[in-house]
Amino acid sequence: MSIRMSRATFLRAAAGAGLGAFVASGCGSEQNNRGGAGSVEGSHIILQTITALEPNFKKFAEAYTKQFPDRTVEVRATTDSPPDYAQQLATARMSDSLPDLMFNVDFLADTLADNNVTLDLAPGISEGKLGSLTIDDFIDRFVGQYRPLGADDQITGLPVSADSSALFVNRTVFDAAGVSELPTASSSWEDLYELARQIHNNSDGTYLGMERPLDNGANRLVYGPVLRAFGATIYDFDTNSTDIGSGAALDGWRLLLDSYGDVSTPYSAKPQSDPAERFDSGNVGMAVMSSANVPGLRGALEGQDWDVVPMPEINGQSTAGGGSYGLSIAQTSPNQDAAFAFLAWFYDSDGGMKVAQEVANAIPPTLEGIKNGAWREQTPPENIAVFAESAQSAELGGRFPGKMQSQVSQALVTAAQQVLLEDRSIDDAYGEAQETINTTLKEESGDS
Amino acid sequence: MLLRYLAIAVIGLLMAVPLLFMLSGSLKSAAEVSQFPPSLLPSVPIWQNFADAWEFLTPRVVVNSFIFAFGVILVQLAISIPAAFALAKIPFRWTGLILGVLIIPHFVPGNLSLIPLYVITNELGLLNTYAGMILPIGGQCAFAVLLFRQFFVTLPKGLTDAARLDGAGWFRVLTSITMPLAGPAMATYCSVTFLTAWNMYIWPLLAAPDPAHRVLNVALAPLASGSNVQISPAVALAGAVIAMLPVLLVFVVSQKWYVKGVAGTGID
Amino acid sequence: MPSVTKRRERGPRARSGTTYRRHDSAVAVAFLSPAMIGFTVFAVLPVLGGLALGLFDWDLFSTPRYVGARNFVRLFSDPTMWQSLFVTLQFLLLGVIPTVLLGFMLAVLVNSKLPAVPALRLLFFVPMIASSAVTALVWAMLYNERQGFVNQALGVIGVDGPNWLSDTFWALPALVIVMIWSALPLVIILYLAGLQRVPDDIYAAASLDGAGPWRQLWSMTWPSVWPTTALVLALQAIGFLSGSFEMALLLTDGGPLGTTQSLALYAYRVAFNDLNFGYASALSMFQLVVFAAIVGIVQGVRRTLRKGGL
């Protein structure tokens, strides 16, 4: 356990943390030459994902090796926390030990792409490295998440599944609260609020009408599509600015801020709802959630009667949102062809996509998969096919540059708190939020 | 005396609410654990939760956790006790300065020095080794040094002086006079540090990412984060209970060192 | 601290004289070296490295870019920084002293040879053993506005409780209570060790004087555990300053309106949410400087008071 620390080693270590040398000692982004095509046959690749997805990916890896006995995929997963995951990738990069394939997520995607961590998959895909699949076989809007802003022709990741939102309804709660009318595909947001109030008032607060749709003020899955439906752009790449406090956006905020109080719960700054106030507690009538929650709800709401309904429309436009984690290939990977080969199998309707639906109840991000997949047969919810529709109409537009996302959320949460806790006018609060975000956007672009 | 018992029991139970919550929750069904208002006790105890949580562990992971925690403790004891003794008992010009140096780095949030710590460990070529996991944490010995020093300081000066006059060297004084009296400090140090090391997550994860060095907290991460929708929160609580057991055991063992009991305070 | 003043009175002559013998110093160096080498390599250097990043622009993945003092200049025009500094000071003021006093009293309470007390004592260590996720879950339930235990209890006596964790006034005190509760076990366990060294005879003498238990507690026990108190104070200052922001992250997200966002939490968010490690380092450096200044002022005041014969 002891280490011999020679003077030179000590100095090197000291320098490693010291000013100039620290910078040089491995934080650099100079292109690594280790990356290359490699060979597919007899390949061993490492796939790094988050722990939540680890069990599923282990099953994919198993099925893959079963079909191609000379190829193995080692699945590694150690964390779910975004900061920890980012640190893990960054440190792995410093010690030159990045995996071949890695989990990617919207807020990191731009940073990883900018710093040459992730490989641009577009050339490989058009060379046919995904087998018979071309990029047109994927649901375009989900791939769009991994096209760097301003470089639309590049693809730095492929979506793992096509998760989109719907209105989840717990009929058991409606019954218990004595509310006989149920939400339908043609209900408006205001109709839903009215039903939620009835549940709340009829049951004297024992049941909640709705899980708070905005969370603590900035649930992008909800505010994104609603604001877009009212006509806001949210983020415009060409002018590098937001209109999140403009007239159209304000209509959206007015609607969404109305949901606190007796529609859902009084406003709370907590980032996550209390367990008892979540849809999966069985005390809550409705919730806007993503299809990714379906498998979990099957366990939590066992014995209750629950289903999904399409999201309400505003101005004739669906307010369904969505998004997906991604899989990316490392630029440093010496096994890029083997990684592509795994992806080719993974997205094949008879390969990984089949396993994904069987073991993970995932909704495939391919057009073929979403149309004819086995996922459509698995109930509850009875109406699960709703997600086929919403995945293809989901509003994923108006995303901010990845690094900006958390500052945008921060500004929006502040605005919501000013309105709800300090009675500031919506116009003023969101006007200021817009100004704050625009200032930061200008600063960030001035930097680089 | 009865009053004192009552106070200990009532305040103790108040402090222990989360434990009771964990224990009862770990035996509930997926539906019951998220029910509101929460039921005090599970209607039917579901022991399967523990079996499910156990699935995430391998013997190797458990062994790794013990190697890591005991390794940190041993390294820190070996370097800290002589240092603490010197700072407490040996007249030395730089004592004050060293005490300051030991405290100051801790006023910088730890997560900012994490990456530099990684760079150093990488430079020393210790990534993916037990040494690489243990030594950097073992080197952060300020708590150990300060704890033992404040304990040694309270030892009567006459005790060490007499031994010195008898011609004993400082090392003899440390091993044969001071150390045997350090029981309570040792118990405190071991339980606190075992807990800290046992619960460490991000450092073992970064220093030794390969599966062969995985520790318990990293292995149980899928349970703890609650982000895997297919795992019941009750199983997550069962995992937390399992992870807690060794810590509890160390605390139980350490209790026998606090033998004195101030009968004379008159509160009895 | 009589030893300090004594040395000062004797002046520099004592330093070069017999107080520090060469042999003693050599032994001290030998005893201290292993710990100091380990501490320097694995604690001091990483902190210096982390602070040095304040001069750079770095997003964790790019090559750090030298930007001079820009991050430090930004500190002073950043209203969030000033608010976070104020919150940090509130945490320190409201948290440290009650934690130390409560911890001391509870340690005396459970420092007993009575049967079954060692087992019951374990209950007092639970806040330390329970994971932060479980702790946050339980306290959130207690503080829930509609159904939480706190407001139901207040309802019994006819008080309409606030929405604790989302109230711009109450969120901070509510969070401080959670933090004190989490910090108590370490304090109790340290005082327990300290109490084992309190000589019994001081109580015998006090009893003869007719001092009641409460007076004995504060005039006998409390002074005799002073070395422990000094350690506990330092550890708790560190805890409330830079350690325990996790609860705020889980329970209030630093809100509402930044009222529970300490400098440490702010730096954490700047680093990991905004991926701006340079500015996060500048924030930490600033925290270090402010704290050093506070310590310096306190020391100065104490010295002045002592000179004035107080």
Side-chain angles (χ1 to χ4, degrees), chain C residues 61-82:
Chain C
F61 292 96
S62 60
T63 307
R65 197 163 53 93
Y66 182 76
V67 293
R70 201 187 62 184
N71 287 321
F72 293 96
V73 173
R74 180 178 159 190
L75 283 174
F76 297 94
S77 58
D78 177 1
T80 313
M81 190 286 286
W82 292 110

Side-chain angles (χ1 to χ4, degrees), chain A residues 99-155:
Chain A
D100 301 295
L101 270 167
M102 65 191 136
F103 166 87
N104 201 344
V105 61
D106 54 358
F107 90 100
L108 264 182
D110 290 338
T111 306
L112 295 180
D114 285 351
N115 290 306
N116 298 318
V117 177
T118 45
L119 183 72
D120 175 16
L121 306 177
I125 294 174
S126 46
E127 280 166 32
K129 290 192 177 177
L130 285 186
S132 58
L133 284 175
T134 70
I135 200 62
D136 296 331
D137 292 316
F138 289 85
I139 305 173
D140 191 45
R141 55 191 70 224
F142 284 89
V143 178
Q145 287 183 288
Y146 297 98
R147 293 184 190 272
L149 286 167
D152 283 353
D153 50 334
Q154 293 180 21
I155 299 166

Side-chain angles (χ1 to χ4, degrees), chain B:
Chain B
M1 194 179 93
L2 196 66
L3 204 65
R4 186 165 183 174
Y5 259 123
L6 204 69
I8 293 177
V10 169
I11 301 176
L13 283 177
L14 280 179
M15 303 278 285
V17 166
L19 180 76
L20 308 176
F21 175 84
M22 271 166 79
L23 288 177
S24 129
S26 66
L27 288 171
K28 288 178 178 175
S29 68
E32 196 180 2
V33 75
S34 46
Q35 172 187 312
F36 198 88
S39 54
L40 206 57
L41 292 171
S43 48
V44 184
I46 299 182
W47 297 100
Q48 182 64 30
N49 290 337
F50 281 86
D52 290 350
W54 189 252
E55 292 278 299
F56 287 82
L57 299 175
T58 59
R60 174 92 200 218
V61 162
V62 179
V63 170
N64 283 345
S65 287
F66 278 107
I67 292 180
F68 177 61
F70 283 129
V72 168
I73 288 180
L74 289 178
V75 168
Q76 288 198 348
L77 283 179
I79 63 176
S80 301
I81 286 185
F85 178 79
L87 292 173
K89 290 291 172 201
I90 304 180
F92 185 49
R93 183 165 307 175
W94 306 108
T95 297
L97 177 78
I98 290 174
L99 288 176
V101 168
L102 282 173
I103 290 209
I104 286 171
H106 292 276
F107 287 105
V108 175
N111 38 55
L112 277 165
S113 47
L114 200 60
I115 302 279
L117 185 64
Y118 176 88
V119 173
I120 291 171
T121 312
N122 186 20
E123 286 285 314
L124 294 172
L126 295 175
L127 290 184
N128 282 323
T129 64
Y130 288 117
M133 295 159 73
I134 292 168
L135 288 179
I137 306 300
Q140 296 171 5
C141 56
F143 172 72
V145 174
L146 295 173
L147 172 71
F148 283 109
R149 178 197 175 257
Q150 67 86 15
F151 194 80
F152 293 157
V153 160
T154 57
L155 293 176
K157 202 170 175 326
L159 219 56
T160 45
D161 285 354
R164 291 285 291 159
L165 286 177
D166 285 349
W170 282 116
F171 189 74
R172 270 277 310 282
V173 177
L174 169 62
T175 50
S176 58
I177 297 185
T178 315
M179 281 301 292
L181 291 170
M186 192 75 90
T188 297
Y189 166 78
C190 285
S191 38
V192 171
T193 307
F194 184 82
L195 171 77
T196 314
W198 188 261
N199 285 347
M200 253 180 204
Y201 167 72
I202 182 76
W203 176 251
L205 172 62
L206 296 184
D210 71 339
H213 290 90
R214 191 174 278 199
V215 296
L216 191 110
N217 248 4
V218 176
L220 286 178
L223 290 181
S225 71
S227 58
N228 189 337
V229 288
Q230 292 171 57
I231 296 174
S232 148
V235 176
L237 288 174
V241 172
I242 293 175
M244 212 183 64
L245 288 180
V247 179
L248 216 53
L249 196 70
V250 170
F251 272 80
V252 169
V253 171
S254 69
Q255 288 311 300
K256 76 171 177 145
W257 292 99
Y258 308 126
V259 287
K260 191 149 174 183
V262 186
T265 45
I267 297 176
D268 282 301

Side-chain angles (χ1 to χ4, degrees), chain A residues 78-93:
Chain A
T78 33
T79 179
D80 272 342
S81 125
D84 293 351
Y85 184 72
Q87 286 184 91
Q88 208 186 354
L89 280 189
T91 51
R93 186 156 184 256

Side-chain angles (χ1 to χ4, degrees), chain C residues 148-197:
Chain C
F149 173 78
V150 176
N151 278 359
Q152 299 217 334
L154 287 176
V156 172
I157 55 168
V159 177
D160 203 6
N163 192 356
W164 293 98
L165 294 171
S166 300
D167 186 289
T168 46
F169 178 80
W170 287 110
L172 183 109
L175 202 61
V176 167
I177 289 178
V178 181
M179 286 157 73
I180 291 177
W181 178 87
S182 312
L184 276 176
L186 181 63
V187 179
I188 295 176
I189 203 172
L190 288 171
Y191 272 123
L192 265 178
L195 286 170
Q196 309 305 308
R197 296 234 45 81

